[in-house]
Amino acid sequence: MADSTSYQENIHQHEKNADYIEIHSLAKQVEDMDTKEKYEKEVDKDKDIDNDKDVDDNEKEVNENVKNISTTEKNDKTNQEVERIDGFEVNCIPLYGVEKTADQEASQNCKTGMRVMWNTEVNVGDPAILGNGYQVDNAIEVFYNTLQYILYVTGFPETEDRSAMPRLAINKEKVVVGVLSPAEDCMALLLECGNQVPDSMHLILKESWVLKKPHKEKPGQFELFILKAITCHKGGVTYLDEFNPPRKCTYLINYFFGCGEPAWGNEMEKNLDIPISSPIPLCNQVDDKVWMRYKMSRCGVAHPETLAFRLAPQRFVPSIDTIRVFEVDRCMKRKKSQTGNSMQNDSRGNNSNMQNTSNGPVESHPTGTFTAKHIENGGVVCTHAAMELEIRNFLNKPSILNRKIVVKPAGPSHYGSIGVTFHDPGSIKSVIDAVEDLLDKIIDGESILVETFVEPINPRPVRGISDNIKRSKGDSGLTCRVRATACKDFDGKPVCSIITCGVASKHAPVHGDNTVPQTLDTTLQTFGISDPSVRRNIEQDVRKRTEDTLQTIIDEEKKMTAEQRGGIGGYTEIIGIDFFLTEKNGHIFPVAVEVNSHDCTVNCHMLECLADMVHQCTILNGRVLSSVYQPSEKISGVCSDKSSQYERRDCVMPKVEEIFGQCVRPWVRTMLTRSQDYLLQDKMILVIGAGGYSNKFILPSALEMGVKVVLVESNPMHFAGNLVHRFICIDIENHKQDHSNASIIVETLGEENISVDGCLTFWEDCGPLAALVSELLQLKGNTYKAAYMAKMKSSTQAFLRGNPRSFPHLPFMFMFACKSACITCEADIPKAIKCVSFPALLKLDYASCAVGTKMVKCEDDVFNQYGYITNTLRINNDYHGIGLGFSNSMVLMEHLQGTDHTIDVVMFEMKLVAALITDISPTNLPSYMETSAMMPSALNVDKQAQMVSAAFQCLSEIGLSNGVFNVQMKMTHTGPKLIDINARTGSLYIRDWVKRLYHIDLMKCALMVSCGVRPYIRLLPPSEYIMGVMLIPSLHKHVILDNVIRMVLEGMQSRGEVIFTMLESEEDLLHQCDKTDYEQPYANIAVRAPTIDEARKKAHAVCKKLGIETSSYKVSEFIKLF
């Protein structure tokens, strides 16, 4: 119980933050609370001497005091003020804990089976915004105490009540995941989501904690707002929070759908416009054993041979070789009552009234049973006798004749092996009786299954001793249930995240509540399977069948309408499949008996808790627990050739401190990704400059994301004009007029009544202009000063060299700058030469590529090259996109020795979000054009750390704090040196490669940042290398223009052997001269491989086959340095 001091502090907070609070009987309440505390201490002492009578007397007095407090509080309620915030009616009332009586606390302790070791004086009532006051809800208090017990035992801090001060701010990712569930059903989810994005997971225990409102712009759809929740943060930290204004939910998980739990979530999830995991219609579909067995048979997943009787089924299932399906109807009553039977007991022994979750009406069954039933199969209506005949025929099949039989009900009200019976071979009458008994107990949408028993594997003799402990030998009377959990990952691919097992007698039903979870590897060893390769193959087989089943569900849902799926954002994203291992001709394989929808992670989390407990409290002789997460393939491999799925490298055995949440990690990635996809939909984003051909992917991709692009472009005939929501043609070529152009753009938006959520550019020359517009519109972005400094190489280098300020925990900034001098006219050359030693590089100061870059070895070279370049490259029309709209001034830079690299950096509010390094091969001198590249980097890890730190520091130091940037650096013997900063997303092949390797869309990141949302980045290490070679017009036109070579290239593309990226259009390629002084690549051709050596060999072979390698363009020399 909270003491009087904490109580007064709580009151003081309300008086400080809300003038409307007035409590007339505070002194009386404090006195009563002190009295209660005194009595509680006396009760504790009396317990020590076992004086039960005194304890009872004291508790009675405490109860009376608490009743007095409650009465005083009720009588002293103040008038409520009503405010309106963002369309919500807010009733402002005082919030403080309501004390429970000893009987109430004892009742809670009994329900949760624990002794309370945490503060129970918390406000779990209705949100203050509703103005309902505090109302005791025993069910919610039990939910809350169960959560606290789990946190307490697992070593996490108890939940802190912050509801007295409603929160305004939200996490930077703007992700609001709502889960309607008791804590014990979703602990893994809470912990993992809190770790990935703190403050994004919201546990909702009560219907009044959420508010459903009609969508303002989407008729017939609703938005969901969270008023109160338990929020989850890193390290298992949780808070009880209220929100004012309410938080808009971006993803919903509903476990309150009946079946032993409250069912208010069913109505809550209807017609929402947000992503939803497994809405009720999809739950019913996945939980339909007959339908799932039919689908599993289509994808090669073994299941028991089945005879199914279905009552008013919601979906059609045809009969096939392994499934015989009949549809039944009730027509007469006979002897028993359907009510009052044990079928309504849930899996933990609690009685509950099961609710119908099917679309069909619930039939009312009066006292009495049903005898005659019609069986419809293929249009033929049979009698009750025909049903018995079908059972006899099924049991007399040669494949079933001598096998044990299982009879079970299948439907939402039958779980935890309720109603399952086993029958010896040849027991036809007992099977018929079991079916008839279940006919009286199933409701519409449910089925009765008569199926073959899955015989367990035979235990092998133990052949050795490991660590002086003889492994236990499996008993011939045992079987094991294998539960494999599969999640749909953020990219839509199914991943088997965890496999758990339970061992029990084979003579009774086996389920999660009557087994102790353990790993598959341990289970197989228990049964004497000592060969690691055999165990590995079994594990791979289970994983593949699990992932194939989820893929089948995903494919099926793509064919369904939003209404059929239960909502526009409704999809199945996690399932649990129960297998039994059996054996035939010495081959062990899994047989699937059922698929469970998204409430399937309880046993997975149990295993995680067991593993964590033994790691925390037991020394295992320097060993780790047998792998909880068996990797599905080698660390860099792909699943078997027959599977289109692949392995996630973070599903291997985790570190001890990361063990919680592994079973749902891919699912959490999905919900966070889908949340941000939802946030991006319908955003109006201003894009300055359409860019060239290499940026052609931007606008179609934005359209797919649901983004409405307002494009500002100089060329009225640009191809991008037809791909955007609004097209505004303004001449923005002359960047010396950026300030006036920015004003014109803002005025035009006002005149057109266009309100934008973000502003950015993907075209290098428009960086400063986009920054100006963002400043004028007060949008998230960078300052004009920072963007202009990044555009001008000499200014960037001078600032870094001369700025003594540095990060206190990182290297000094001057370490990353190189010697340079700006040349605006020939008179500047002598001064510049004094600053830089020869040989040196002469570059265009505002360029973003190698155009105009020349090596100079003496003063005469500088004068000659400067004169030639400035005379041939003067204005934009001479060469678009290299900064001539600003100036054709040049910069003389020192020539550095080392390796070239580019770092693509994602930043949000001056914080590093992601950094991805590409290795660049040496150029083909005398040209400084890029020849080949490889990703990910082959640099040592510490060198990569230096490179990332240098890029981040350089960006931050000049003021770039929001966006996606491309930084070019050289790794010298003394560390990284800055070459250039491109204040926009990396172009050419960068986006495609990053998406393939890291599953990160840099363009999407840029759009998110412009809207003020921090991108959620999934930290998955790449499983392969990509190595690419640039193609130049003067040497490689034939790859596109020669029909024979092009056919070879297209064949290689179709087989996935190469990645081909066009950087110029074919039309432009046809009109280019064979040789120019400022030639640039027109395409990139790349290969993928698990190792650098293999990538190098494949790239060389492709280039030889297509005639890319020549005497003057030696690809083998370029790529050998990777």
Side-chain angles (χ1 to χ4, degrees), residues 94 128 198 232 331 427 489 536 589 616 662 683 797 821 831 837 863 912 932 934-935 965 985-986 1081:
C232 304
C331 64
S427 303
D489 215 334
R536 175 69 170 170
F589 60 95
Q616 287 190 25
Q662 281 284 327
K683 284 287 189 288
Q797 296 286 356
K831 183 180 178 181
S837 59
F863 277 99
L912 183 64
S932 58
M934 184 183 72
M935 185 187 289
F965 310 106
T985 306

Side-chain angles (χ1 to χ4, degrees), residues 259-536:
C259 296
E261 300 292 352
W264 56 266
N266 296 352
E267 186 63 33
M268 195 64 65
E269 72 176 28
K270 288 182 180 179
N271 300 319
L272 294 178
D273 75 320
I274 60 175
I276 308 175
S277 174
S278 298
I280 295 301
L282 295 185
C283 279
N284 291 339
Q285 179 170 276
V286 171
D287 290 335
D288 186 337
K289 288 184 175 66
V290 181
W291 185 84
M292 277 308 312
R293 288 186 181 185
Y294 171 73
K295 292 300 178 182
M296 286 190 291
S297 68
R298 301 294 90 180
C299 64
V301 178
H303 60 81
E305 197 165 350
T306 306
L307 174 65
F309 298 102
R310 293 165 66 76
L311 177 62
Q314 299 179 20
R315 53 199 63 83
F316 172 73
V317 179
S319 292
I320 57 176
D321 290 341
T322 56
I323 308 175
R324 185 79 169 152
V325 184
F326 294 90
E327 184 176 336
V328 302
D329 280 328
R330 306 178 186 276
C331 64
M332 285 185 63
K333 298 180 292 183
R334 190 171 58 180
K335 51 187 176 183
K336 295 181 183 176
S337 170
Q338 187 190 12
T339 61
N341 60 72
S342 62
M343 299 291 293
Q344 300 300 319
N345 292 337
D346 66 25
S347 60
R348 296 194 181 272
N350 299 320
N351 292 330
S352 57
N353 294 321
M354 309 313 299
Q355 298 197 15
N356 175 47
T357 57
S358 66
N359 293 332
V362 179
E363 187 174 345
S364 176
H365 306 303
T367 302
T369 332
F370 310 94
T371 166
K373 299 216 173 201
H374 289 43
I375 304 171
E376 299 179 5
N377 184 41
V380 179
V381 179
C382 305
T383 63
H384 181 74
M387 179 187 71
E388 294 188 6
L389 179 61
E390 288 297 335
I391 296 175
R392 294 178 183 275
N393 291 339
F394 178 78
L395 299 181
N396 288 322
K397 290 177 64 175
S399 59
I400 299 177
L401 191 58
N402 296 317
R403 298 184 64 179
K404 194 173 180 179
I405 297 299
V406 180
V407 179
K408 64 175 64 171
S413 52
H414 309 287
Y415 48 88
S417 302
I418 297 174
V420 179
T421 55
F422 290 2
H423 306 269
D424 293 331
S427 303
I428 297 177
K429 185 178 185 308
S430 69
V431 171
I432 293 174
D433 290 343
V435 172
E436 290 182 344
D437 183 59
L438 291 177
L439 284 172
D440 298 328
K441 298 170 182 176
I442 63 172
I443 61 176
D444 288 358
E446 297 183 337
S447 305
I448 301 170
L449 307 185
V450 180
E451 63 184 41
T452 54
F453 176 76
V454 181
E455 286 293 338
I457 58 177
N458 295 319
R460 274 69 168 160
V462 177
R463 297 178 179 175
I465 296 177
S466 175
D467 296 338
N468 299 319
I469 300 176
K470 188 173 182 180
R471 298 187 184 277
S472 59
K473 178 182 176 182
D475 185 86
S476 58
L478 297 179
T479 188
C480 66
R481 184 198 75 150
V482 179
R483 163 62 67 86
T485 301
C487 308
K488 183 166 73 172
D489 215 334
F490 64 93
D491 54 1
K493 295 183 178 180
V495 180
C496 182
S497 59
I498 188 172
I499 300 174
T500 64
C501 293
V503 178
S505 170
K506 72 176 185 179
H507 304 297
V510 183
H511 50 84
D513 289 349
N514 65 5
T515 56
V516 179
Q518 61 188 35
T519 65
L520 175 61
D521 194 63
T522 296
T523 303
L524 293 175
Q525 292 181 64
T526 300
F527 280 81
I529 302 174
S530 57
D531 189 341
S533 64
V534 174
R535 299 199 304 268
R536 175 69 170 170

